[in-house]
Amino acid sequence: SRLKLTPKQYTTLTFNQVILLLLMHKYDQCHEQVEILKKQYPESEILACVEAALIQRQNKDKDSFNSSVELLRTFSQKNPKLNLTISLSIAQIYVSQQKYVDAAKVLEKVSTVRYTPGLCAVLVQLYSLSSDKENAVRVLDETIDHYRNSMKDEENALETERFYKIVNASADYKMRNQLYREAVKDLEI
């Protein structure tokens, strides 16, 4: 029972029950629980994401996707510290609609992880899916510049390793897209 759970365990269990209701297609019960929990946890990004998913699953039309994005954007504006999860959720909605450039634009605004190799790879892939080589190359170049500049300030083994991985990935991408001069420029460190 609840007496044997810590408050954090109880909260986690409650949120998992809401997610389970969503996955079981029990949308009315899920909606009721979300409304109750939003009063207790108004800053919960999990509830915002579940509510957005609920909107999408109940109505599979274009308006539901726009409503989901708007709900998450509104939540993000009220809770700017929770921007990463919400931005990833918005990007996922765009990807599900094959709006790859919109997804990339959302992710490029997430400053906390903007220059990580993982996000760089995702952005390049999203722009590539949109046949937008220019923006894919721009992302690679900006990421390389970021690591070049950060390595000047401090010699950090992790930063150096990331830098060389991104340089190699950038050169590889540019070679595959027949941008030979740009690839050579990347490798001239």
Side-chain angles (χ1 to χ4, degrees):
S1 79
R2 182 176 178 182
L3 297 176
K4 295 180 183 178
L5 298 175
T6 66
K8 183 173 174 123
Q9 289 172 323
Y10 179 75
T11 302
T12 302
L13 182 65
T14 306
F15 286 168
N16 284 340
Q17 287 173 332
V18 169
I19 294 168
L20 184 60
L21 289 170
L22 177 70
L23 295 174
M24 292 174 57
H25 305 283
K26 296 188 176 188
Y27 301 135
D28 292 335
Q29 287 176 290
C30 182
H31 182 72
E32 289 172 18
Q33 287 299 311
V34 166
E35 290 304 315
I36 291 168
L37 291 172
K38 276 174 42 179
K39 292 174 185 165
Q40 290 178 284
Y41 309 100
E43 294 182 4
S44 170
E45 58 192 353
I46 293 171
L47 292 176
C49 292
V50 168
E51 191 172 9
L54 195 57
I55 290 170
Q56 285 182 359
R57 290 185 182 203
Q58 286 180 311
N59 312 316
K60 295 219 179 231
D61 58 12
K62 186 178 179 180
D63 290 336
S64 69
F65 289 96
N66 293 336
S67 297
S68 293
V69 168
E70 190 55 39
L71 177 123
L72 291 170
R73 281 206 171 118
T74 301
F75 180 84
S76 180
Q77 289 167 355
K78 291 178 185 175
N79 304 283
K81 292 180 183 175
L82 305 175
N83 201 17
L84 177 61
T85 301
I86 298 302
S87 294
L88 290 171
S89 297
I90 292 170
Q92 183 178 3
I93 292 168
Y94 281 135
V95 167
S96 73
Q97 294 296 297
Q98 298 179 342
K99 295 181 178 183
Y100 304 120
V101 172
D102 292 336
K105 286 179 182 177
V106 168
L107 294 176
E108 280 197 70
K109 293 178 184 173
V110 182
S111 61
T112 55
V113 293
R114 171 61 180 85
Y115 297 107
T116 60
L119 186 58
C120 178
V122 168
L123 290 170
V124 169
Q125 182 63 25
L126 289 170
Y127 283 126
S128 295
L129 288 169
S130 300
S131 301
D132 187 350
K133 284 188 218 175
E134 292 82 22
N135 272 318
V137 169
R138 178 187 55 77
V139 166
L140 288 165
D141 290 343
E142 287 175 0
T143 305
I144 288 171
D145 289 344
H146 168 79
Y147 281 101
R148 268 196 186 115
N149 293 333
S150 69
M151 285 179 18
K152 288 178 188 174
D153 298 336
E154 57 184 61
E155 283 300 318
N156 180 335
L158 178 61
E159 295 291 304
T160 303
E161 181 182 342
R162 285 181 176 172
F163 173 72
Y164 286 113
K165 282 183 179 180
I166 290 171
V167 166
N168 288 330
S170 177
D172 180 57
Y173 177 83
K174 290 172 182 176
M175 292 291 287
R176 282 186 281 121
N177 286 282
Q178 299 168 350
L179 301 168
Y180 303 117
R181 283 195 172 107
E182 291 87 346
V184 170
K185 183 181 164 205
D186 282 350
L187 295 171
E188 292 175 343
I189 300 171

